[in-house]
Amino acid sequence: MATIHVDGQSYDVDGADNLLGACLSLGLDVPYFCWHPAMGSVGACRQCAVKQYKDADDTQGKLVMACMTPATDDSWISIDDDEAKAFRAHVIEWLMTYHPHDCPVCEEGGHCHLQDMTVMTGHDRRRYRFRKRTHRNQYLGPFIAHEMNRCINCYRCVRFYSDYAGGTDLGAFGANSNLYFGRHQDGVLESPFSGNLTEVCPTGVFTDQTHSERYTRKWDLQFAPSICHQCAAGCNISPGERYGDIRRIENRYNGEVNRYFLCDRGRFGYGYVNRSDRPLRPEWRSDRSDVSVTLEVDAALDRGADLLRTARRVIGIGSPRASLESNHQLRELVGEGNFSTGIAAQELACLTAMHALNQNCGLPTPTLRDVEDHDAVLVLGEDLIASAARVGLAVRQAATARRNELAAERGIPAWNDDAVRTLGQDSYHPLYIAYPTATGLDEVSAASWALAPDDIARLGFAVAHAIDSAAPAVEGLDEATRREAETIAERLLAARRPLIVSGGSLGSLAVIEAAGSVARALSRSAREGSLLLVRREANSTGLAMLGGEPLEWALDELDSARADALVILENDLYQRAPRTRIDAALERAETVIALDHQRTATWQHAHLGLPAAAFSEADGTLVSLEGRAQRFFQVFDPRYIRPETRIHESWRWLHALRADMLRHDVGEITLDAVTRACAERHPELHGILGAAPGADYRVRGLKLAREPHRYSGRTAMRAHLDVNEPRAPQDADSPFTFSMEGYNGFDRPREEVAFAWAPGWNSPQAWNKFTDEIGGHLSAGDPGVRLLHPQPGDYAYHTSLPANFTPRDSAWQVVVLPRLFGGEETSARAAPIVERSAPATLRLSADDAQRLGCNDGELLDVATEGGRCSLPVQLDAALPAGLIGVPAGVEPGLANGDLAGLSTRATNYHDVGAATRRGDETGDRP
């Protein structure tokens, strides 16, 4: 700690910080541009100048840059000094020399850091009267728009993109005052984190292109705290709505999870909620033809209840993309013995094993923030950038943090970013990766191995044995692998805090158990390590804790006529099992009721379809891969703008359906009541009651505002329907209002913040006003509650070790490879994600391709017991012989067959690519 004196006031601050961070943590306003809380200082903009004095008697002082000056004990500074204020005003005038001053047409207007700092420094007159320098803008892909003329040369974009996220295709070109930030030529930005440029950039150089198509100023968007549904990482987001459509997604700060950054799938994958072909009213099909009849809510409930009441036995199929409340209500409707999770058996077995390990391996599960504080990492069976990109970004920070240790040894503060990076160069903490092919983190790894799943597991078990001889030895291990295992073990044991990462991407129980064995070995060695296990979908962890049978069990019950009715919750079964198997089960069922917000193949086979609310229209609870239960809240009421819709939350539909089936009065149901019932029925989920404040939460007696106080145009939004404005929707399920009337400040700490705004801070940098310190935690604590905790005990090692993988002459082992764009069910329906997705291909080693006589780009037929598909070949130099890599989301049934038969058909790759693109235009999956 240190005591600093600012304009005559004394404050206790973190002595390891710089003056800028210290002042901002105190709530003092100091303007800045190039500095960013996650990336430290480079002193490029000179905007944060303050006057520093030698002591209390010094009256002269000198100008210093607050971001480059340590907050040492007994520092005396002035922010309000006239010379410092004049200097800052001159600096921003210089920076604005070439700026076009186009705020009225700039998409950054209203949440622009440049606007905030211009006002803060008092610059309000333009004296420059000469020709301005201009630039040609670039096409950077479907996510990011480029307007280089607005640049003020702060370097934030390349510092994040290249230094922090590891991108290689964005740079700074030119010199002096003629700099250009972009690519060497037009083209799609390759980094999966490029969308963060829209918030990192303090001006309007990089803007959200998905928002541009239907642009709305930030102050005219309605927000709610939400959770990203595109993977299991649990990132916090703030979706913004106008006229019943989600217009953009912004990062919502959570000090334990995503903090300042999102991945591109989470930021831009929301388009499926705006699709024009979404079901909006209940639909009835008497013969499951394409012709459907729309019903009103009461008629739909009556018809559905009659069907369920007369059925011999009703099976409920849940979904890991639906909330805990919805899955619980479905389980209550059909009964505990009739509930299926809707997850394929192999994946559910992996989830069960991961849940057991989280409790019984002796090591805790880290938060994303914790991940960055580990100094040795072993990744078994995961390409983190593809399966959980935000986790991958955290692991990257853990590897690159070695430079901070080197800097600390030499007395260089961590915030001095340029000095730290110059010293660190290519120094990394040890990161080891075993995966069937190259991964997005290989460039920062100490070593990576392309191995078959069983060989990955054998490597993991060998590492466990090298750490603890009590762990079972791996029979028949070759000498090279044994030495590699010993090296990994040595580095893990030498680390202050080792991390083991694995998951279910490859569908291999052996890989998961191997990771658990390494974790147990480290635990027995009294190491302060962690185990992180990656799940696939937003609520995979929560649904595994809720319990239920696998999908195949439900299909067997139908096939054997032990059940004749199905209720399917937000789940496209065709994405989880072979098409022929699903077709047969649905044809056999006498009643099929589907609840979903998308018109999926399963929806088309239902007798009765009930339009469910998407995440932006619903409230509910999810449990992330780290076991954090978090609440997402309804952003808008879809019936306000579109009165013809009959969209409701799935849990509300299921409550009404059950009451109607039992001939009970439907009555009122609220989110708090359903959450409480779920927690009481499932003791392991009892903690979800503390995931967020209840609907009765108030600040100064006020509910919380969903809309900024400048929100405008509400009285005209429904003018085309009725000149009389109806009452704003009333929300009994949350502490939020559907209006600007309510509390939206920062001076009363709260966990759930719909949008960040503070006086003078309209940009995303306003989150600094809501945290206990810069880069710390929200002042009221970070949202969510942890449900997974290691239990004490002496845990036995897993003893069933696989044999080494041996390629076969006429069969190949199928490995499903996750992909960030196009590999997840809902985001793959968003047009920008479809455009960003690479054509689906089958990966094959060069040796296997030669043996088959096929060339790169030729069509390859793949057939297993679970399904078949035809895709062009992509030769993969890293993939081991005997494996074939199938992209996630193409043919789920293939994953159910262990071995594949292959045959080739000579077809031009470009023809296939053209066909794929034509499909993309219709919204089909790539």
Side-chain angles (χ1 to χ4, degrees):
M1 296 296 291
T3 299
I4 65 172
H5 312 275
V6 184
D7 289 315
Q9 297 292 321
S10 298
Y11 303 94
D12 291 330
V13 300
D14 184 354
D17 211 342
N18 57 31
L19 285 176
L20 177 60
C23 289
L24 292 174
S25 293
L26 294 170
L28 305 174
D29 288 344
V30 180
Y32 62 89
F33 284 116
C34 63
W35 178 84
H36 188 278
M39 296 184 290
S41 308
V42 292
C45 71
R46 325 306 287 172
Q47 186 62 66
C48 61
V50 296
K51 180 69 73 70
Q52 185 178 34
Y53 303 94
K54 295 178 181 178
D55 51 41
D57 297 325
D58 183 8
T59 59
Q60 296 297 316
K62 64 178 180 179
L63 290 177
V64 298
M65 301 305 117
C67 73
M68 299 299 294
T69 306
T72 54
D73 191 38
D74 206 30
S75 294
W76 294 78
I77 66 169
S78 173
I79 299 171
D80 293 332
D81 176 78
D82 290 340
E83 185 181 2
K85 291 167 66 175
F87 183 89
R88 295 196 296 263
H90 285 309
V91 167
I92 201 163
E93 185 174 17
W94 300 333
L95 293 176
M96 295 288 285
T97 299
Y98 290 111
H99 190 70
H101 295 77
D102 59 343
C103 298
V105 297
C106 177
E107 294 187 13
E108 198 76 2
H111 61 136
C112 174
H113 185 61
L114 176 61
Q115 286 180 330
D116 290 346
M117 299 301 97
T118 302
V119 173
M120 189 178 294
T121 54
H123 172 59
D124 59 0
R125 292 291 184 273
R126 179 172 51 176
R127 296 186 293 172
Y128 184 76
R129 293 291 182 267
F130 306 98
R131 182 182 295 275
K132 288 182 178 285
R133 174 202 61 215
T134 58
H135 295 286
R136 172 188 166 276
N137 301 320
Q138 291 182 318
Y139 170 76
L140 299 177
F143 297 156
I144 303 296
H146 191 224
E147 178 51 74
M148 185 55 209
N149 291 325
R150 298 174 182 145
C151 183
I152 59 169
N153 300 343
C154 73
Y155 285 89
R156 266 203 207 171
C157 57
V158 293
R159 291 180 59 217
F160 166 78
Y161 193 92
S162 302
D163 298 339
Y164 191 93
T168 58
D169 61 321
L170 182 77
F173 304 89
N176 299 325
S177 63
N178 190 19
L179 288 172
Y180 190 93
F181 294 88
R183 300 183 82 251
H184 71 287
Q185 62 182 13
D186 286 17
V188 177
L189 287 172
E190 298 170 1
S191 171
F193 306 101
S194 64
N196 293 293
L197 294 176
T198 63
E199 295 185 14
V200 167
C201 175
T203 73
V205 176
F206 300 100
T207 53
D208 185 340
Q209 186 131 292
T210 66
H211 184 201
S212 302
E213 298 170 1
R214 299 193 65 191
Y215 180 73
T216 303
R217 296 290 183 194
K218 179 178 179 178
W219 64 68
D220 282 333
L221 292 173
Q222 182 169 242
F223 298 92
S226 192
I227 307 299
C228 179
H229 280 54
Q230 267 52 80
C231 82
C235 294
N236 289 206
I237 57 174
S238 289
E241 171 268 346
R242 184 76 170 179
Y243 288 104
D245 290 331
I246 295 298
R247 298 297 178 87
R248 68 179 297 159
I249 283 180
E250 297 181 358
N251 181 75
R252 180 165 66 99
Y253 190 88
N254 185 316
E256 289 287 5
V257 189
N258 48 289
R259 292 202 282 177
Y260 295 99
F261 306 123
L262 300 172
C263 79
D264 285 355
R265 184 165 79 184
R267 187 181 294 273
F268 301 114
Y270 64 86
Y272 63 93
V273 305
N274 296 337
R275 287 179 66 109
S276 59
D277 61 349
R278 278 187 61 185
L280 303 179
R281 300 169 68 91
E283 295 179 1
W284 169 258
R285 295 180 183 84
S286 58
D287 56 359
R288 296 186 198 164
S289 66
D290 291 336
V291 179
S292 62
V293 178
T294 59
L295 302 175
E296 280 300 325
V297 170
D298 289 343
L301 290 172
D302 289 344
R303 191 164 296 189
D306 289 342
L307 291 172
L308 297 181
R309 197 181 299 116
T310 58
R312 297 191 307 277
R313 184 184 177 203
V314 183
I315 296 293
I317 298 181
S319 170
R321 63 173 167 91
S323 67
L324 280 176
E325 289 82 358
S326 294
N327 279 287
H328 164 74
Q329 286 295 94
L330 176 58
R331 188 165 174 153
E332 292 294 293
L333 173 68
V334 302
E336 182 178 348
N338 300 317
F339 178 74
S340 165
T341 60
I343 303 172
Q346 183 65 25
E347 182 179 355
L348 187 59
C350 291
L351 290 173
T352 303
M354 287 189 277
H355 180 64
L357 284 175
N358 283 137
Q359 295 179 304
N360 302 320
C361 76
L363 295 184
T365 300
T367 67
L368 287 191
R369 186 190 188 101
D370 289 336
V371 167
E372 299 181 9
D373 191 38
H374 290 75
D375 55 344
V377 184
L378 172 61
V379 180
L380 295 175
E382 289 291 333
D383 178 2
L384 292 174
I385 297 300
S387 60
R390 191 58 187 81
V391 176
L393 185 62
V395 169
R396 180 181 180 85
Q397 304 319 306
T400 58
R402 170 64 177 150
R403 60 186 60 152
N404 294 333
E405 294 184 359
L406 295 174
E409 293 171 1
R410 292 157 176 81
I412 300 174
W415 48 260
N416 194 340
D417 186 66
D418 196 48
V420 170
R421 292 185 183 279
T422 300
L423 173 66
Q425 298 290 326
D426 295 325
S427 298
Y428 303 109
H429 281 142
L431 167 63
Y432 299 100
I433 304 172
Y435 190 70
T437 186
T439 78
L441 291 175
D442 286 353
E443 62 169 319
V444 294
S445 67
S448 58
W449 299 273
L451 302 171
D454 283 350
D455 289 340
I456 294 173
R458 286 168 63 83
L459 175 64
F461 285 120
V463 172
H465 179 72
I467 294 173
D468 181 7
S469 59
V474 181
E475 299 295 333
L477 195 68
D478 63 273
E479 183 62 22
T481 303
R482 184 186 63 79
R483 288 196 301 269
E484 290 162 353
E486 290 176 350
T487 300
I488 296 172
E490 290 174 4
R491 300 302 293 273
L492 293 176
L493 288 172
R496 171 182 51 84
R497 197 177 181 194
L499 170 66
I500 312 302
V501 182
S502 189
S505 292
L506 298 179
S508 171
L509 278 169
V511 170
I512 295 170
E513 293 294 355
S517 289
V518 179
R520 289 188 177 113
L522 289 171
S523 175
R524 290 188 175 190
S525 301
R527 291 301 187 276
E528 187 185 347
S530 303
L531 173 67
L532 181 66
L533 298 170
V534 175
R535 281 77 163 178
R536 186 160 71 98
E537 292 176 87
N539 208 18
S540 293
T541 308
L543 193 52
M545 297 174 72
L546 189 75
E549 301 292 339
L551 174 61
E552 287 84 348
W553 169 86
L555 301 180
D556 289 341
E557 297 299 290
L558 290 169
D559 290 343
S560 60
R562 291 191 292 268
D564 61 339
L566 266 182
V567 181
I568 305 170
L569 168 66
E570 298 182 35
N571 198 335
D572 185 6
L573 305 186
Y574 289 92
Q575 297 294 319
R576 302 183 186 275
R579 179 170 293 274
T580 53
R581 182 83 194 277
I582 301 299
D583 282 342
L586 294 182
E587 286 297 328
R588 188 177 290 274
E590 296 179 12
T591 296
V592 178
I593 299 176
L595 298 88
D596 212 330
H597 48 78
Q598 300 298 311
R599 200 173 294 278
T600 66
T602 301
W603 173 281
Q604 300 294 351
H605 282 75
H607 294 101
L608 178 64
L610 301 177
F615 77 91
S616 56
E617 303 149 343
D619 308 275
T621 306
L622 303 176
V623 183
S624 69
L625 56 84
E626 61 165 283
R628 181 181 297 271
Q630 299 182 102
R631 193 79 32 85
F632 61 94
F633 294 98
Q634 185 178 13
V635 183
F636 65 99
D637 184 342
R639 289 162 295 178
Y640 182 74
I641 296 297
R642 301 183 178 97
E644 72 278 7
T645 65
R646 299 295 182 266
I647 293 173
H648 295 282
E649 297 97 330
S650 290
W651 51 264
R652 204 179 295 275
W653 277 118
L654 292 166
H655 165 77
L657 193 59
R658 182 170 183 265
D660 205 341
M661 187 178 71
L662 298 175
R663 294 190 170 93
H664 293 167
D665 180 37
V666 174
E668 291 296 323
I669 185 69
T670 64
L671 175 70
D672 285 350
V674 178
T675 304
R676 190 178 308 109
C678 180
E680 291 172 354
R681 181 60 63 92
H682 308 283
E684 195 174 15
L685 295 172
H686 189 267
I688 66 175
L689 294 175
D696 58 351
Y697 178 80
R698 299 291 185 273
V699 175
R700 295 176 175 170
L702 299 174
K703 296 191 79 170
L704 307 178
R706 280 183 170 92
E707 300 167 358
H709 67 283
R710 296 189 181 98
Y711 193 88
S712 64
R714 187 179 71 188
T715 55
M717 291 176 71
R718 296 178 80 260
H720 63 295
L721 301 175
D722 194 333
V723 295
N724 298 303
E725 182 193 4
R727 185 188 185 192
Q730 303 301 297
D731 188 358
D733 295 316
S734 81
F736 291 90
T737 64
F738 289 107
S739 74
M740 69 183 77
E741 290 82 18
Y743 181 77
N744 65 4
F746 67 94
D747 56 330
R748 294 293 188 273
R750 53 199 164 98
E751 292 180 2
E752 301 295 343
V753 182
F755 57 90
W757 175 88
W761 296 85
N762 299 281
S763 76
Q765 300 299 305
W767 283 111
N768 295 337
K769 291 290 187 180
F770 291 82
T771 55
D772 54 4
E773 62 178 349
I774 298 301
H777 304 272
L778 292 183
S779 299
D782 296 313
V785 59
R786 299 289 294 275
L787 303 181
L788 294 179
H789 304 284
Q791 304 298 319
D794 186 18
Y795 312 114
Y797 285 108
H798 186 78
T799 57
S800 179
L801 278 56
N804 64 305
F805 174 73
T806 303
R808 302 191 185 183
D809 290 337
S810 58
W812 285 257
Q813 182 177 352
V814 174
V815 289
V816 178
L817 303 177
R819 50 180 181 153
L820 187 64
F821 303 120
E824 188 272 329
E825 178 185 349
T826 54
S827 65
R829 292 174 170 268
I833 297 293
V834 172
E835 185 178 346
R836 180 67 172 82
S837 303
T841 59
L842 297 174
R843 296 192 183 187
L844 203 63
S845 72
D847 290 344
D848 285 338
Q850 184 177 9
R851 185 150 52 94
L852 284 167
C854 67
N855 298 315
D856 199 37
E858 289 184 350
L859 271 187
L860 185 67
D861 291 336
V862 181
T864 73
E865 294 178 358
R868 66 181 304 126
C869 73
S870 295
L871 289 172
V873 169
Q874 178 184 348
L875 297 184
D876 190 331
L879 194 72
L883 300 183
I884 180 168
V886 178
V890 172
E891 179 51 62
L894 287 176
N896 293 2
D898 182 37
L899 297 176
L902 308 181
S903 61
T904 61
R905 286 184 291 138
T907 303
N908 186 281
Y909 175 81
H910 299 291
D911 292 341
V912 176
T916 302
R917 285 191 291 273
R918 286 194 292 271
D920 291 348
E921 293 172 3
T922 63
D924 294 335
R925 297 174 61 82

